[in-house]
């Protein structure tokens, strides 16, 4: 999958001549970058001379990855394995995926095995990988395949009917596992072809992407379509990278018009192609999270004896659908402690019937700290508090009965918590509370007399 690109700073943009200024300063004899993306197709001769060196390079230099070792003699098993790998690789680095993939395939080696899993089991296996909707799509797809007879789809048209499988993933599975002669286009392929043809367009331009698909279809080798598609993606991932291309070792460098332009004009760089995309501005959100710990032993002050934590299940649609988390509320912006507590109190009252002083007593309530969790499109600041309470009367009957459309919740102990498929942000919250309480019990000599302060950290990651 394609990697991130560094944006130029403002000073560099001001000093660097525009593409139009570059063109006006060149002699007419020098080759101009292609601006008409209709001119993206390759000649028949060039197609033939590019296929062999690219495949030879791939045979010698490709990375040894577990999904590439799947037995070609078992196409259905191979198709399932490629499907799992491609879904995991969406928006996630290869190095991160490898161990997740091994564990997944060990537990669910076939689509039939996966179809018998529960969503909670799948989320548990996926925990920490991010973009959890991908896991749900795999499970839903497996159940659909088994429901319709259990035969794994072999063509792009059949694969596109499976939830979560788009044009790219369908092409990858069909070509790699079943030798269908179809192209595959991801960010790596767009970058490679844009440089081969010296196209200075935004790589996300819909017209450019459409033309790249046509060019990729023209290039794909009919005798080894899967290997060729992997070779083109591997080239973009390892040599023709966004910021540091290794042109001297590229198997098709003599066909690269971006490289040719850079040799003709020192002001032109290979990395000018394709143009740098404009990054979408992240939305800033704020949330208050309350780790509610319920003491079960009446009349004891020992917090570590017997307690459970309240977890709520997110809605089945939307961000982090169906996953478990601590009770939380979205805030209108930065908020002080009293405002956050008012919001949390309202949530506990409306959703669980928990009323301070009325049906529970507060043993401990304190602010733990805050951190920033970064999604692809949201920068979420999370305020964390720890509320230890003891229920009054018959605690098991104090929570209001759940109606069909009400919030789903459960109480779990430490052991269950550690085995659940929780998101990285939920685990971060829990770890902050544990560390905060541990430091209160055993403060270091240097800070033993100082007042405990909430901690503030930044957490930047792929996804939640």
């Amino acid at each position: 999958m394609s990697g991130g690109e560094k944006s130029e700073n403002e000073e560099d943009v001001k000093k660097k001549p525009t593409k139009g200024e570059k063109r006006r300063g060149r002699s007419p004899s020098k080759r101009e970058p292609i601006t008409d993306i209709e001119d993206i197709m390759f000649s028949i001769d060039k197609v033939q001379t590019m296929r062999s060196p690219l495949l030879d390079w791939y045979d010698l230099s490709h990375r040894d990855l577990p999904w590439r070792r799947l037995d070609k003699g078992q196409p259905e098993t191979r198709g399932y394995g490629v499907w799992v790998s491609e879904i995991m690789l969406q928006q996630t680095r290869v190095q991160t995926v490898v161990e997740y993939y091994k564990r997944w395939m060990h537990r669910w080696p076939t689509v039939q095995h996966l179809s018998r899993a529960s969503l909670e089991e799948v989320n548990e296996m996926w925990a920490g990988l991010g973009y959890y909707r991908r896991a749900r799509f795999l499970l839903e797809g497996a159940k659909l395949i088994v429901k319709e007879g259990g035969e794994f789809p072999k063509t792009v048209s059949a694969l596109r009917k499976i939830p979560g499988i788009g044009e790219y993933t369908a092409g990858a599975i069909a070509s790699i596992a079943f030798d269908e002669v179809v192209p595959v286009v991801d960010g790596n392929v767009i970058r490679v072809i844009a440089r081969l043809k010296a196209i200075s367009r935004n790589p996300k331009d819909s017209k450019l992407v459409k033309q790249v698909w046509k060019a990729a279809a023209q290039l794909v080798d009919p005798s080894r379509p899967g290997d060729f598609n992997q070779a083109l993606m591997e080239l973009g991932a390892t040599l023709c990278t966004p910021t540091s291309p290794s042109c001297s070792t590229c198997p098709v460098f003599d066909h690269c018009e971006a490289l040719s332009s850079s040799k003709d004009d020192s002001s032109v760089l290979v990395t000018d192609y394709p143009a740098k995309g404009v990054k979408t501005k992240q939305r800033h959100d704020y949330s208050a999270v309350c780790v509610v710990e319920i003491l079960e032993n009446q009349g004891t002050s020992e917090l570590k004896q017997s307690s459970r934590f309240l977890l709520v299940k997110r809605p089945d649609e939307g961000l982090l659908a169906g996953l478990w988390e601590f009770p939380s509320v979205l805030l209108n912006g930065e908020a002080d402690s009293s405002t956050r507590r008012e919001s949390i109190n309202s949530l506990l009252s409306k959703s669980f019937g928990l009323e301070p002083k009325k049906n529970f007593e507060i043993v401990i309530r304190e602010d733990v700290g805050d951190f920033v969790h970064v999604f692809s499109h949201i920068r979420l600041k999370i305020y964390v508090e720890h509320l230890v309470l003891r229920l009054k009367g018959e605690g098991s009957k104090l929570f209001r009965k759940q109606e069909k459309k009400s919030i789903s919740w459960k109480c779990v102990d430490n052991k269950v918590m550690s085995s659940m498929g929780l998101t990285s942000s939920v685990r971060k919250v829990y770890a902050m509370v544990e560390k905060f309480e541990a430091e209160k019990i055993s403060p270091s000599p240097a800070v033993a007399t100082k007042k405990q302060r909430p901690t503030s950290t930044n957490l930047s990651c792929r996804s939640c």
Side-chain angles (χ1 to χ4, degrees):
M1 313 306 288
S2 59
E5 297 181 354
K6 295 180 181 177
S7 59
E8 300 173 12
N9 61 45
E10 186 176 350
E11 184 179 357
D12 290 339
V13 172
K14 289 179 179 178
K15 289 181 177 179
K16 191 172 181 178
T18 65
K19 290 284 188 289
E21 290 170 339
K22 291 177 188 175
R23 293 184 189 116
R24 288 193 292 272
R26 293 182 190 171
S27 66
S29 61
K30 291 182 180 179
R31 180 173 180 83
E32 299 292 334
I34 294 173
T35 55
D36 179 7
I37 59 174
E38 300 298 329
D39 189 21
I40 198 172
M41 304 302 283
F42 297 90
S43 68
I44 295 176
D45 289 342
K46 182 163 284 193
V47 169
Q48 296 296 337
T49 55
M50 287 174 61
R51 285 173 177 166
S52 293
L54 187 55
L55 283 168
D56 290 344
W57 167 80
Y58 178 75
D59 289 340
L60 290 172
S61 306
H62 69 267
R63 291 169 292 179
D64 181 24
L65 301 171
W67 47 89
R68 288 177 176 166
R69 303 182 208 134
L70 296 168
D71 188 355
K72 291 187 177 182
Q74 298 181 0
E76 290 213 5
T77 300
R78 185 175 170 84
Y80 168 69
V82 172
W83 177 35
V84 172
S85 71
E86 289 297 339
I87 298 299
M88 286 186 171
L89 286 166
Q90 292 172 8
Q91 305 294 323
T92 309
R93 295 182 181 278
V94 171
Q95 304 94 303
T96 303
V97 167
V98 169
E99 291 305 317
Y100 278 91
Y101 178 83
K102 289 179 180 177
R103 291 195 294 269
W104 182 286
M105 295 300 289
H106 177 75
R107 183 164 184 179
W108 300 301
T110 67
V111 70
Q112 285 76 19
H113 287 88
L114 177 59
S115 70
R116 295 191 287 270
S118 68
L119 181 57
E120 286 206 19
E121 289 173 322
V122 167
N123 283 337
E124 180 183 329
M125 182 67 71
W126 200 271
L129 196 56
Y131 296 95
Y132 287 81
R133 185 172 62 170
R134 298 178 295 170
R136 191 175 80 244
F137 278 146
L138 278 171
L139 179 60
E140 290 174 358
K143 290 182 181 296
L144 179 61
I145 291 170
V146 171
K147 181 181 178 181
E148 295 186 351
E151 183 178 358
F152 198 89
K154 297 178 174 61
T155 64
V156 166
S157 58
L159 286 160
R160 290 296 302 273
K161 298 175 183 178
I162 305 300
I165 295 185
E167 189 174 16
Y168 162 80
T169 306
I173 299 169
S175 62
I176 296 170
F178 303 107
D179 289 324
E180 185 176 4
V181 185
V182 290
V184 166
V185 172
D186 68 349
N188 290 311
V189 174
I190 292 173
R191 184 169 58 257
V192 168
I193 291 180
R195 288 176 179 172
L196 286 171
K197 302 297 288 187
I199 298 173
S200 53
R201 286 268 191 138
N202 185 328
K204 294 184 179 179
D205 183 295
S206 59
K207 291 182 179 178
L208 174 59
V209 173
K210 184 177 180 180
Q211 291 300 316
V212 169
W213 273 98
K214 290 182 179 179
Q218 183 189 24
L219 286 172
V220 65
D221 191 311
S223 62
R224 296 176 62 187
D227 287 340
F228 185 86
N229 285 334
Q230 290 183 92
L232 205 56
M233 291 187 288
E234 189 85 343
L235 181 65
T238 61
L239 296 186
C240 195
T241 60
T243 58
S244 303
S246 302
C247 298
S248 61
T249 55
C250 175
V252 291
F253 76 92
D254 51 341
H255 298 283
C256 183
E257 294 179 16
L259 179 60
S260 178
S261 295
S262 71
K263 290 178 178 178
D264 288 343
D265 187 339
S266 60
S267 70
V268 178
L269 302 174
V270 171
T271 52
D272 291 337
Y273 307 94
K276 306 295 186 295
V278 178
K279 291 186 177 180
T280 304
K281 189 175 181 180
Q282 287 182 320
R283 189 177 81 227
H284 288 248
D285 285 351
Y286 303 85
S287 173
V289 176
C290 185
V291 178
V292 179
E293 185 174 2
I294 303 171
L295 297 180
E296 294 186 315
N297 292 348
Q298 297 285 339
T300 179
S301 60
E302 295 295 328
L303 301 186
K304 292 297 181 182
Q305 283 196 357
S306 181
S307 65
R308 295 180 297 159
F309 294 89
L310 177 61
L311 295 177
V312 296
K313 191 175 184 181
R314 291 184 64 88
D316 290 332
E317 299 295 332
L319 186 67
L320 307 176
L323 296 172
W324 293 94
E325 63 182 12
F326 296 110
S328 65
V329 290
L330 281 175
L331 305 169
N332 292 325
E334 296 274 4
D336 59 24
S337 179
S338 62
T339 301
R340 300 196 302 265
R341 289 190 178 184
E342 283 180 14
S343 298
I344 289 294
N345 287 346
S346 176
L347 171 70
L348 295 179
S349 174
K350 291 179 180 178
S351 299
F352 310 103
L354 289 172
E355 304 279 356
K357 297 181 180 179
K358 182 178 180 181
N359 53 28
F360 73 86
E361 63 175 291
I362 297 174
V363 179
I364 292 176
R365 187 169 195 176
E366 51 198 354
D367 294 327
V368 174
D370 60 76
F371 66 98
V372 174
H373 191 79
V374 181
F375 299 83
S376 59
H377 58 296
I378 301 172
R379 186 176 177 85
L380 179 65
K381 185 171 184 178
I382 300 174
Y383 297 95
V384 182
E385 77 162 325
H386 185 203
L387 171 61
V388 182
L389 59 86
R390 182 177 289 111
L391 297 172
K392 294 179 179 179
E394 298 182 50
S396 61
K397 295 181 181 180
L398 282 176
F399 291 115
R400 289 177 181 164
K401 293 182 179 180
Q402 298 180 60
E403 298 178 358
K404 290 183 178 180
K405 295 184 179 180
S406 69
I407 191 170
S408 296
W409 57 269
K410 63 182 177 182
C411 291
V412 299
D413 59 23
N414 269 322
K415 186 175 181 181
V416 173
M417 180 94 70
S418 63
S419 66
M420 290 181 66
L422 302 174
T423 67
S424 57
S425 63
V426 174
R427 291 190 181 281
K428 173 68 176 179
V429 167
Y430 185 54
M432 284 179 66
V433 170
E434 285 194 314
K435 182 180 178 182
F436 185 81
E437 295 302 325
E439 288 177 349
K440 286 200 311 179
I441 296 171
S442 304
S444 62
V447 297
T449 59
K450 294 184 179 180
K451 184 179 179 180
Q452 178 71 45
R453 292 181 178 179
T455 58
S456 180
T457 43
N458 281 302
L459 177 68
S460 180
C461 65
R462 297 186 311 279
S463 61
C464 185

